[in-house]
Amino acid sequence: MEQFNWVRDRWRQLISGRRLYSAPDSRSTKCSPELHNTQRLTGKRRTVIARHGTHHHEYHCISKGYQGNRIRTTKYSLLTFIPMNLFQQFHRFANLYFLFLVMLNWVPVVEAFQKEITMIPLVVVLIVIAIKDALEDYRRYRFDQKINNNTASVYSGKHQTYVDQHWKEVRVGDFIRLSCNEIIPADVVLLHSSDPRGVCYIETANLDGETNLKQREVVRDQPQRCSELTPENFTARIECEDPNNDLSRFRGFMEHPGKARVGLHNNNLLLRSCTIRNTETVVGIVVYAGHESKAMMNNSGPRYKQSKLERRLNVDVLWCVVLLVVMCLTTAIGHGLWLSNIKEAPFLIPNAASPALAGFYLFWTMIIVLQVLIPISLYVSIEVVKLGQIFFIQNDVDLYNDNLDSRIQCRALNITEDLGQIQYLFSDKTGTLTENKMAFRRCTIAGVEYPHEENARRLEVYERDEDEATGRSHTLKSRTSAKSLSCKSLSCNRSSVSLHTLTDHAEEEEPPSPIMHQQSPFCSSMEKDIAPDPLLLQKLSGLSSPRFLLWDASMELTYIVDFFMALAICNTVVVSSHNQPRHVVKVPEVSPKKLKSLDDIKMLFQRFGLPRFSTLSPTHTTEIAHSFTGKLFATDKAASCNPTPSKNATEPDGEPNPRPSLPSVAQATDGDQECEGEDKGSGERGSWTGLEDNMVPLNMGDMSRQELFISKPDADELIYEAESPDEAALVHAARAYGCTLQGRSVEHLLVELPGMGSLVVPLLHILPFDSTRKRMSVVVRHPLTNQVVVYTKGADSVVMDLTESAESPEQPDGLMRGHVRKQTQKHLDDYAREGLRTLCIAKKVLEEEEYEVWLKHQVFAETSIENREELLMESALRLETNVTLLGATGVVDKLQEEVPETIEALQRAGVKVWVLTGDKQETAINIACACSLLRSTDHLLTANCGSKEMCEALLLDLLKEVESREAERGDAPDVTSGFTLVIDGRTLDFALQEDLSDNFLELSRHCRAVICCRSTPLQKSRVVQLVRDKLRVMTLAVGDGANDVSMIQVADVGVGISGQEGMQAVMSSDFAISRFKHLRKLLLVHGHWCYTRLANMILYFFYKNLRISPEVP
Amino acid sequence: MMASGYNAKEEDGHPAGVTVHGVGGPVTVKNKKPDNTAFKQQRLPAWQPILTAGTVLPAFFVIGLIFIPIGIGLFVTSKNIKEFEIDYTGVDMSSPCFNCSQNYIWNSTTPCTCSVPFTLDQPFENNVFMYYGLSNFYQNHRRYVKSRDDSQLNGDLSSLKNPSKECEPYRTSNDKPIAPCGAIANSLFNDTLGLYYIDPNGSRTAIPLVRKGIAWWTDKHVKFRNPGGNDNLTVAFQATTKPVNWRKPVYELDPSDSDNNGFINEDFIVWMRTAALPTFRKLYRIIQKKPNNLSPTLPLGQYVLDVTYNYPVRSFEGRKRMILSTISWMGGKNPFLGIAYITVGSVCFFLGIVLLVIHHKYGNRNNSADIPH
């Protein structure tokens, strides 16, 4: 039905549109009925056309219903203040109740007190609140005025140019020109950017607090890409969704007159209240203005949650009401009966009502008299007390983070006491228990492990330094705080940066240039400076020397190059430099001198697809690794493929020769013509081994150091701004090996490869990361082979599954692949045991036809308005199959300080701690051990199974085991040992099903801790929900990333950790802390205090009111 | 004192918000760092009693030991107060006032009198207070309580002419304002009681009853005042009429003493102070002790209570009583207070003993008990 409507609408629009375009004169000045019709029928969509374009009349018809850009956040105006405010105030139950009592008092027959006097409290309360509201409203009014009177450069049809206008005069369909650092006045579709690549950067700090730059692009197929846009000539119409509050979604299309449509998506939309950065000027057309802009629609007040205590209180108050009614009824009936028994008495007022009526009157009188029984004032008092408690929590020095200069934020104002009632704590792992400062630790490529010993030592040093840093961090504050002014959420890393580079940067300190202070997230030296593995570096250096064409070695080399290529480009990192802050490095011309050697490399990569490895048995590969250097040197005597060897040609331009100590080797390669000397070389190997052993490691170490040193001044200019820390870590790792990502535009990437200089990689597509796919991919045209290549990076489980299908013996390199797979899996397990986060890198070469077919689907998905997400997802899934595994990386993530102590304290307090993580089981267990969630004496229960039946049996088995062990132990519960359940995502899926959830919960109740690994965000929230609803306990969820948002929202108390991964978790949380250790004091001290104090106060209130009420008359 | 000490300690281990760079460099102010003050960190000195056996047991014993003597003293005092009460309502056929109680009209001109004989078993010494008591009389009825005009009673002339609406329906009668208006005044107790001592030889001696000094001083001199001073009340109350149930106007309430008339009539004042409970007693007369103080005020023997029976109580099943009582330093006869003190004291003492035994037997078992997990 919906589709039918849509089709009909489209049709109508087309009809009307065509008529308009074909015969503009025939159209009457009045709006055609069709147009109105479309307007009404579309309902969920809006049409935007240029205000000063050729279609004035149509503009007025269409845009009549659209709001202007004036905003009004005030609730009242001067006239409506008194009635509106009173109306608002009487929304409160308490006020309504008081009003009711006052009115009752005005009824003469039930009057109990002096009616004028009883009004005083109510009137005073109303007046005080009204004054407060008026002041607040006035402040809002002033603020609105300020915003509305900001100026923006808006195209004026009269002047045929851009003139400054107030924000409030901006209308939908206006053209706006914005320059750098200006704030965007309305939601604007980007039509032109001064940037030649048609991108512009915005900072959304005003919106979500994230200070990294987001890239936005000009609408595709915009004809005037370079020249300034002329609004008169803009005839296209924009169809987009009706205003909504989804910041991350914008769907629509732009229709050129008589031409095809161009899809619009979120990347084309500049949101109101964001800031333009690093782009000189941009021009856009307003699509949503004022209150219809996405930023304004997202403006919702603070969250309202009701605490358990309050829910209980409500029930108690209801009982009080019942008590009051019963009391009043009793008195009324008693009064009636008593009256009916007395005929005449001197103390009775004659002419009074009949006994029944008198009883009825008395009922109301008694309600007035006993009104205190209902502790309405309690609600006001509780609010005041809670404000006080929040004041104290926010002012706690122990919950203050020195490094970030951030306090705890209480976002929900009325659940402080719930903190003291938490029974289950659900924690995310990454960024919550750990620092989320990712540092590249080691990797495996093509089945060969590179342990990076040097790197491990380096990381240890940082860890030590970090500990010392807390002691003397105050000496660095001048630097840190200056930066924290510019970008708050990022300052976490800075103290460490400044600490380690203090001596180096001493001269930097003097001129306080703002650019110097712009440090990016995830760029502390711990994450940045990676010590390369000598062996790997040596292998990679083969690329820059002409020796790379050795068959077996080159096969591995292509793997390695591809691997680093993937690390460097398979991401969404934005590159900027100090000189050109957050700008893309200009694409330099590739020196023609190099082309020859590039041709050779091309050959090499083309050969990658050929069955060269088929002759190689899997066991050989490791051998190759060991004998690699030997063969390398052995080939000196053999022929090489480089026809015109030139050392300079293989070196990057302008770079001094980094290998002065290898002259003989380099020299020896000169002049070699053919690459067939493998056998010969191996025969000669023996004579070279001695030399190799002595000289090569020395030289390699030497060389790497020199290279690093030389490349430093240049490389240091680059700053990577990543959305997630592991992305940054991997890019830095690639850079350490000379594969430097130098720049990024919408359609190109600039990558420097060792020995090849800068290469322009045409970027075809980015399939961004999402939590269901658990991977991201980039589609590029390989600069060397010109093939379409897909690089995929993702969680090992999914990527391994994708490669699985590729493993078939028929395929020529199937054996090699299988070998790589097996080895990599082994290494991955090792990494996980070490507690590293693992990512797999894979690639896939697409045939042109294959790509064409896929491209069609992708374009369709991109341009479609309905189901765009699903279609895109489908398209991505279609692409990411049959990939070749290149290798895997291990990224280390340090545990936050005092995490073990905190968890132990919480467990001692009877809080059950569950860890829900997306990581591998081994990694999760490792971290759990490290943070003392899992003790050596604990009994580990592992639940991994593949089907529901198995899962059921397993749960029952485990339950039996637990019970028997408990029975064995007797009734003296041993504190030192307990059960810990480890369950993986797939099993969790079964366990969460309706019929098994009871077993699962029963089992988990016996366990002191539960670790769910490999869980998706949805599973996390379902686990929390299950525990909360079934066990009826108070739950707290703590997390830092977007994947924890659903869990945080489901839990009774959601705690966000403001860390490295943006602000989403914080935005949806009730409390935002900066370190996990703060939970300890927050729960065990503040929660306890808040709860006992409030509970005592409430009890006393009830006591007091019951005590007072009989004495009132 | 406490707070400042803490701050100093804090600064040792932990850098405080404002630090001066060692080399005389820039001074950094961390904006968001909370102040480390005793108030904000909830370190203000506080004291909470912790209940232990060492504090609770002595408290119980002390309370017991203090309360029991007080209770005994009160009880003995109350016991020594002599009180005599006689119901003269005339519900029974046999009682002397039966006839009067049966035929009743509020303002009949012929008063019905009856005599109730009684015997005092013990002599009453010192001043003896004579009360009348009413039962089942709801002087606390909500509308009854409000049915008066205090400004009229305070001598306000405009209120005299135009009483408050609260007095309805006893506000006006025959278009004349009622003085005093309202239901309370209207229902003034109007029995006249006389007391006679029957000598053993059979002769009746009237016992002198003092009708002044029975009202509160503040009521008589502040709250109640006659309009236009005390001279010539007839003129002052000229435009008004008496309450419907009254036989005489307000300025003729006390024929014997002209200063005790009008609103400041003490019987009237006593009545106007409404009782809280349906069974109440109000001071009627004082029998002053003999000047020589040789013989008791009321020697034991036969007495007769002469009642001019005006006040009807049969309609609401009320009772009328006459009470004779002496007083002591603690007021009238009230055994309850003494009993309460004794009870509380003994309960405390007993509990003290029980707790002591428990503490002695089991006290040292859980000395170092942790809060269980």
Side-chain angles (χ1 to χ4, degrees), chain A residues 109 111 338 344-347 349-350 365 392 395-397 400 402 405 407 475 477-478 481 908 1089 1093, chain B residues 19 21 26 28 30 32-34 39-42 136-138 142 144 146 169-170 183 187 311 315-316 373:
Chain A
V109 281
E111 177 191 345
W338 175 74
E344 192 188 349
F347 53 85
I349 309 290
T365 311
F392 279 124
N395 272 297
D396 193 332
V397 150
Y400 167 79
D402 248 335
D405 187 30
R407 301 179 185 191
T475 55
K477 266 174 201 153
S478 57
S481 62
R908 275 224 317 273
W1089 276 351
R1093 285 170 183 175
Chain B
T19 16
H21 204 279
T28 315
K30 285 220 167 178
K32 285 187 178 173
K33 176 145 187 164
F39 173 68
K40 284 192 174 172
Q41 303 308 317
Q42 305 192 56
N136 217 10
F137 190 101
Y138 289 84
R142 188 170 59 84
Y144 179 83
K146 288 206 290 192
Y170 300 109
S187 61
Y311 206 71
S315 61
F316 57 97
H373 291 254

Side-chain angles (χ1 to χ4, degrees), chain B residues 63-283:
Chain B
I63 290 172
L65 290 176
I66 291 175
F67 274 34
I68 292 173
I70 292 176
I72 292 171
L74 286 172
F75 189 71
V76 169
T77 316
S78 174
K79 260 277 194 256
N80 286 338
I81 294 169
K82 298 178 181 84
E83 198 179 83
F84 176 81
E85 194 171 323
I86 184 167
D87 189 320
Y88 68 90
T89 321
V91 185
D92 289 335
M93 295 275 278
S94 56
S95 65
C97 291
F98 179 71
N99 277 336
C100 288
S101 69
Q102 290 306 304
N103 43 33
Y104 149 74
I105 321 153
W106 260 103
N107 31 12
S108 67
T109 42
T110 50
C112 172
T113 57
C114 53
S115 297
V116 187
F118 63 94
T119 313
L120 289 183
D121 296 335
Q122 44 191 343
F124 282 47
E125 269 128 22
N126 281 334
N127 286 349
V128 176
F129 293 81
M130 184 182 184
Y131 303 88
Y132 60 88
L134 289 172
S135 296
N136 217 10
F137 190 101
Y138 289 84
Q139 245 199 332
N140 57 1
H141 189 275
R142 188 170 59 84
R143 298 195 57 193
Y144 179 83
V145 168
K146 288 206 290 192
S147 182
R148 64 193 283 166
D149 186 346
D150 281 321
S151 62
Q152 187 194 44
L153 296 173
N154 198 26
D156 189 70
L157 284 171
S158 62
S159 296
L160 183 72
K161 298 276 158 11
N162 186 16
S164 147
K165 275 195 190 124
E166 304 276 3
C167 285
E168 289 288 3
Y170 300 109
R171 189 166 159 263
T172 55
S173 150
N174 303 326
D175 292 336
K176 273 185 171 175
I178 294 175
C181 76
I184 308 177
N186 189 48
S187 61
L188 178 69
F189 182 78
N190 55 1
D191 281 1
T192 312
L193 305 177
L195 203 56
Y196 298 92
Y197 175 65
I198 311 293
D199 273 338
N201 53 21
S203 66
R204 270 164 66 123
T205 320
I207 291 168
L209 302 172
V210 179
R211 57 196 321 170
K212 280 188 121 181
I214 56 172
W216 293 18
W217 187 90
T218 44
D219 280 0
K220 177 147 175 123
H221 294 95
V222 180
K223 207 173 167 188
F224 289 82
R225 259 185 239 149
N226 278 325
N230 282 344
D231 32 65
N232 208 350
L233 291 175
T234 327
V235 180
F237 286 101
Q238 203 173 23
T240 65
T241 180
K242 65 179 176 65
V244 280
N245 284 356
W246 286 21
R247 312 224 167 128
K248 297 175 280 188
V250 70
Y251 47 87
E252 287 171 9
L253 280 176
D254 189 349
S256 57
D257 184 353
S258 60
D259 280 349
N260 196 20
N261 271 322
F263 293 150
I264 56 168
N265 176 275
E266 292 201 18
D267 282 332
F268 174 69
I269 292 173
V270 167
W271 179 256
M272 290 306 282
R273 184 160 281 278
T274 51
L277 296 171
T279 299
F280 59 90
R281 59 171 71 165
K282 283 182 185 296
L283 191 53

Side-chain angles (χ1 to χ4, degrees), chain A residues 28-316:
Chain A
S28 66
T29 45
K30 272 177 68 191
C31 305
S32 60
E34 267 98 337
L35 264 176
H36 274 299
N37 245 346
T38 4
Q39 197 60 36
R40 215 177 310 123
L41 275 169
T42 46
K44 282 157 91 178
R45 297 197 279 139
R46 68 159 48 182
T47 310
V48 177
I49 58 173
R51 187 182 179 190
H52 303 291
T54 41
H55 310 296
H56 278 288
H57 302 296
E58 198 193 349
Y59 172 80
H60 287 298
C61 301
I62 290 179
S63 307
K64 218 163 40 184
Y66 301 160
Q67 284 195 17
N69 202 33
R70 176 195 294 272
I71 56 160
R72 211 182 71 107
T73 55
T74 57
K75 279 192 210 149
Y76 319 105
S77 70
L78 216 53
L79 266 178
T80 59
F81 178 73
I82 289 174
M84 282 283 281
N85 186 256
L86 282 181
F87 180 73
Q88 290 285 334
Q89 289 202 39
F90 284 121
H91 269 293
R92 289 183 69 122
F93 181 71
N95 287 344
L96 214 59
Y97 178 74
F98 282 130
L99 182 72
F100 168 70
L101 289 174
V102 167
M103 303 230 285
L104 260 188
N105 233 348
W106 278 88
V107 180
V109 281
V110 296
E111 177 191 345
F113 305 119
Q114 281 281 315
K115 42 190 175 254
E116 292 83 8
I117 292 171
T118 46
M119 282 178 63
I120 292 176
L122 181 68
V123 169
V124 167
V125 166
L126 290 184
I127 287 177
V128 167
I129 294 181
I131 289 174
K132 193 199 84 189
D133 284 352
L135 285 179
E136 264 177 21
D137 218 46
Y138 181 67
R139 228 180 41 214
R140 271 197 293 266
Y141 169 76
R142 293 278 300 273
F143 189 68
D144 286 352
Q145 285 292 98
K146 221 177 87 192
I147 294 217
N148 282 334
N149 288 333
N150 278 350
T151 52
S153 170
V154 177
Y155 187 81
S156 153
K158 214 189 287 167
H159 300 93
Q160 304 283 309
T161 176
Y162 290 96
V163 293
D164 276 354
Q165 273 190 359
H166 289 313
W167 276 26
K168 60 185 172 191
E169 284 146 16
V170 172
R171 295 278 173 280
V172 172
D174 267 336
F175 285 88
I176 293 189
R177 188 170 64 186
L178 295 159
S179 35
C180 192
N181 295 336
E182 268 189 346
I183 297 173
I184 302 164
D187 287 358
V188 168
V189 166
L190 186 60
L191 296 177
H192 168 80
S193 165
S194 62
D195 189 291
R197 284 155 301 119
V199 296
C200 105
Y201 296 91
I202 59 171
E203 188 185 280
T204 54
N206 287 347
L207 217 56
D208 54 11
E210 293 180 39
T211 43
N212 58 335
L213 295 191
K214 311 254 175 0
Q215 187 173 307
R216 293 287 188 261
E217 35 190 273
V218 169
V219 177
R220 281 188 202 193
D221 302 342
Q222 203 48 37
Q224 316 100 324
R225 178 153 273 190
C226 303
S227 61
E228 180 93 353
L229 186 95
T230 43
E232 282 92 35
N233 302 341
F234 184 83
T235 45
R237 30 197 305 129
I238 293 170
E239 301 262 345
C240 53
E241 304 169 299
D242 250 12
N244 57 50
N245 63 358
D246 192 347
L247 287 176
S248 58
R249 202 186 65 171
F250 172 68
R251 298 187 301 191
F253 57 84
M254 193 153 121
E255 192 179 64
H256 295 289
K259 265 196 281 170
R261 295 181 227 129
V262 184
L264 298 178
H265 48 97
N266 200 30
N267 265 1
N268 304 125
L269 192 69
L270 307 182
L271 297 173
R272 185 191 164 109
S273 81
C274 296
T275 316
I276 304 275
R277 295 269 190 232
N278 297 344
T279 316
E280 244 168 71
T281 49
V282 294
V283 175
I285 183 167
V286 176
V287 284
Y288 305 126
H291 286 280
E292 291 176 335
S293 63
K294 286 179 185 282
M296 293 302 288
M297 293 189 88
N298 259 295
N299 252 348
S300 55
R303 289 148 60 71
Y304 184 77
K305 258 190 186 177
Q306 217 172 21
S307 74
K308 199 178 169 192
L309 197 66
E310 253 169 70
R311 287 197 294 270
R312 175 75 192 279
L313 174 68
N314 285 342
V315 175
D316 288 349

